Amino acid sequence: MKATTKIDRCLSRRNGHLFIEDCDAVALVQQFGSPLYAVSEQQLRGNYRAFRDAFSHYWTEGPVQILPAMKANWILATRQILTDEGAGADIYSAGELHGVLRTGINPELVSVNGGGKSDEMLRQCIQAGVRITVEDVDEPARIDRIAGELNTTARIRFRVRPSFPGLWRLTDFSQEFASIDLGTQIYKSGVPQEHLAQLGRDVLKMKHVELTGFHFHGGRHHASLWYWTGVVTEYGRLIAEMSRAWGGYRPREIDIGGGFASHRDPMNKLGLRADVVKTCLSWPLQLVVKLLGRQPGYFLLGQYLKHAAQKKPNTRPAPAIRDYARITVTHLRKALQENGMDTGGITLQVEPGRALYGDAGIHLTRVKSVKRQSRPLPLNWILTDTSQYFMSTVNMDFSLNDFIVANKTDAPAVQLADVVGQSCAGDRILPFVKVPELAPGDTIALLDAGAYLEVASSNFNALPRPATVLVNGDTAELIRRAETIEDLYSRDVLPRRLEAGRVAA
């Protein structure tokens, strides 16, 4: 009889092995190679339905549209799953537009965000019939001109920049000591408030542009419901203010963007801000090495590393999707209605990214070697065949992903070690974490790897990027092949004058 312990919807422990749905993670590595990304189809579908059902339950005024952020995972197979579910899309680039349209999506459910759009990009958007989210003050006039040339009407909405004086807590977006309010002000996106009143009046007079509503995306500044209460309250006030300034304009759609945390919430859990303080405090200990001599100095420093430097993955789960929906809808409705706006019939749009894709994926990597040092400081390194360059959230989001040794799920954690990657950089994927006794060939699974990792990976040290498989029940299918060394150099062009010295491969 199998001993099974459920971890979440798609992950479980079975007789010492990690399973994603009904596939043994160790067997996936044996079949498809290591390192490897694996995505659970059922988790992805379930997350989408959870967002759809929760926001539809609380927003009863009109339709709810979920527009997943394609930037979080633009693999065509994962996007096709969401299109088949009826999802829209938040996209940012011509490449993402090309990809999402290939899935047969309803163009009216596509929001094209981003500043600095070229005329060619605007022309593609208008011809495709997608929503254009305006971020630059010159955009509406250019859209009106191009739509006129095409003898059609372009549908746009403004991405706005509310101020949030009540959001005083530290932002998770940065390791600087900056409030959420300051973080949102510094962030580049959206039309500055001082331009909105006149710009809206101008747009409402344009012949070839239809203004459908408002858009705001703050991003993952804070996991709490407190953050979302403040965001939608100020956003609702700004919507009502602009509607009055435009002569009683009433939006057809309001997009609240994304920034919801995935439930294990690894973002900004490396604790780098705290490390600044800790390392300042440890600096005198480092000087003790010189003042007291090698042996006592290193002993004290080793004790500090042992007791103060250990990192632990987050154990405080983020709010449930239903709670995010309840808070955002309740306070958005309240802000709009208190400022004189009738909310009946308005479509609510939501753009989840990491909360939708994150826990649907894992990243699997094999241990290549184990290195131990006892002097002058006791240190351990677990060298794997992946890299921080395949784990972009380590650098971008300061994430500390939870992890499981896939072939030793019941083994106790007995030693402090750095789990490192194979590049020549420091490549500290899991710094100073407690791990079981490990050996070459063991497989480590990094959890919450479905968002931003694969799509932002790079080729430092000319490392080919890993494959991705889609798991559905007990079946796994390749949905993005691993790169080859030939792929790495396929874009290179050797000038003719240099070919004479070329060494044949």
Side-chain angles (χ1 to χ4, degrees), residues 406-429:
N407 59 308
K408 296 179 177 177
T409 63
D410 301 327
V414 295
Q415 61 177 325
L416 200 63
D418 267 14
V419 178
V420 297
Q422 63 176 319
S423 81
C424 72
D427 220 338
R428 301 178 76 200
I429 297 168

Side-chain angles (χ1 to χ4, degrees), residues 307-379:
H307 297 290
Q310 180 181 345
K311 303 285 188 186
K312 296 180 180 179
N314 182 42
T315 56
R316 182 179 180 181
I321 293 171
R322 191 173 181 86
D323 291 329
Y324 278 134
R326 173 177 54 82
I327 287 295
T328 53
V329 166
T330 300
H331 289 277
L332 177 64
R333 178 189 292 119
K334 180 181 178 182
L336 292 169
Q337 292 179 350
E338 285 183 349
N339 286 274
M341 178 167 285
D342 175 14
T343 55
I346 294 177
T347 296
L348 180 68
Q349 296 173 327
V350 189
E351 299 178 354
R354 71 186 71 246
L356 185 115
Y357 291 102
D359 63 3
I362 60 175
H363 183 52
L364 298 166
T365 178
R366 272 183 175 153
V367 175
K368 295 177 72 174
S369 66
V370 176
K371 183 162 57 177
R372 296 182 174 86
Q373 171 181 298
S374 59
R375 295 193 308 271
L377 291 172
L379 295 168

Side-chain angles (χ1 to χ4, degrees), residues 214 235 239 251-256 332 336 346-349:
F214 295 86
Y235 182 29
I239 290 172
R252 294 211 318 265
E253 57 197 28
I254 294 175
D255 192 323
I256 64 172
L332 177 64
L336 292 169
I346 294 177
T347 296
L348 180 68
Q349 296 173 327

